[in-house]
Amino acid sequence: MSSNVADILIEALPYIRSFKDMTIVIKYGGHAMVDEQLKEDFARDITLLKFIGLNPVVVHGGGPQISKVLDQMGISSKFVRGMRLTDAPTMDVVEMVLGGKVNKGIVSQINQQGGKAVGLSGKDGGLIQAEKLHIVYQEDENKPPEIIDPGLVGQVTKINPDIINTLTAKGFIPIIAPVGTGASGETYNINADLVAGHIAQALSAGRFILMTDVDGVLDQAGNLISSIDAQTIKKNIKDKTISGGMIPKIECALEALENGVGKTHIINGKKPHALILELFTDEGIGTQVTI
């Protein structure tokens, strides 16, 4: 073993010790879910976390996979503010792809690495309760806002973590598809970032990690900000240093912190073993969000 590898292991030791028995919720999405080598790396990382005494809980997306199947079926997709408008035929495909193909693929990858993963939909055990989401959309400031009905797109009203706690206590790794159930039994498609944040809150997770396709939060020069607090976030949103798709992710991270989650990280899932490098090295590779 080279001294460099030994140094890395020594550096990781205090983190491994402090993370023992900690629940870590990971939002898994983006390029890391489609690149074959990155998928294998992720499965190894999750298995390693469980083996060294942590309790990883994975919430996954699946937008590209859903779009591919919809295209094959001749069903067109329309998006408003990044959300797919979801009618009943689209919802059938969403549930089939997320809860079937994508979810079981992740489960299989982790199990091949020696982990014990179990796939869940938010409908299992009453895990994710939801209600219809209404989108307020304003095309420009000279036009009045309009309320758009996105169909079967939902927002979380309650998380019942009993099934997650039961599985983790038995040594299993829960892999969760972001589909919830309404009061009348209807099925809702829910943004995976939001689901992951609510689950992290319900579990009082020690860490909440959002995997994206960018390095993290960047400054105006395009350099990575390794740590950022709520006050700086508000300033950076106001001056547009933080913009676009990063805003809902950072707001999701802040909400989790304000509701009992220990620390939140935004990392680039395109980097091999990004999860391990962020958790077990002094420098990390992404942005740590603090209150």
Side-chain angles (χ1 to χ4, degrees), residues 41-226:
D41 289 346
F42 179 79
R44 286 177 174 169
D45 291 353
I46 293 295
T47 303
L48 175 63
L49 293 181
K50 191 67 176 179
F51 280 176
I52 61 177
L54 289 76
N55 291 314
V57 176
V58 177
V59 179
H60 64 82
Q65 295 91 331
I66 292 168
S67 294
K68 183 178 179 181
V69 174
L70 287 171
D71 289 345
Q72 290 171 346
M73 297 177 69
I75 301 174
S76 61
S77 293
K78 183 179 179 182
F79 291 84
V80 176
R81 294 188 64 192
M83 294 186 184
R84 188 190 308 270
L85 304 187
T86 308
D87 58 12
T90 301
M91 188 65 237
D92 287 343
V93 174
V94 168
E95 188 169 15
M96 175 184 71
V97 174
L98 286 179
K101 183 177 177 59
V102 175
N103 186 277
K104 301 313 175 191
I106 300 167
V107 168
S108 177
Q109 287 262 0
I110 293 172
N111 289 346
Q112 284 174 19
Q113 299 301 327
K116 294 197 300 179
V118 175
L120 298 172
S121 157
K123 297 167 79 171
D124 294 319
L127 172 56
I128 303 172
Q129 296 176 29
E131 65 183 8
K132 187 184 190 70
L133 174 69
H134 290 94
I135 301 172
V136 179
Y137 179 67
Q138 189 169 13
E139 191 172 348
D140 63 59
E141 60 185 19
N142 296 319
K143 293 182 179 180
E146 58 178 317
I147 297 176
I148 296 174
D149 181 354
L152 294 168
V153 175
Q155 59 187 1
V156 176
T157 56
K158 185 180 179 183
I159 298 291
N160 177 6
D162 289 352
I163 191 168
I164 297 175
N165 292 329
T166 299
L167 288 169
T168 55
K170 297 287 188 182
F172 292 100
I173 303 167
I175 312 297
I176 301 165
V179 173
T181 307
S184 301
E186 62 273 47
T187 303
Y188 286 113
N189 177 22
I190 311 174
N191 178 277
D193 290 351
L194 299 180
V195 168
H198 280 281
I199 287 176
Q201 294 169 44
L203 295 171
S204 298
R207 293 288 186 278
F208 171 37
I209 299 174
L210 285 154
M211 298 184 75
T212 69
D213 283 344
V214 295
D215 287 343
V217 182
L218 308 179
D219 63 19
Q220 288 187 328
N223 299 313
L224 178 68
I225 301 172
S226 59

Side-chain angles (χ1 to χ4, degrees), residues 231 242 286:
Q231 188 174 353
I242 297 174

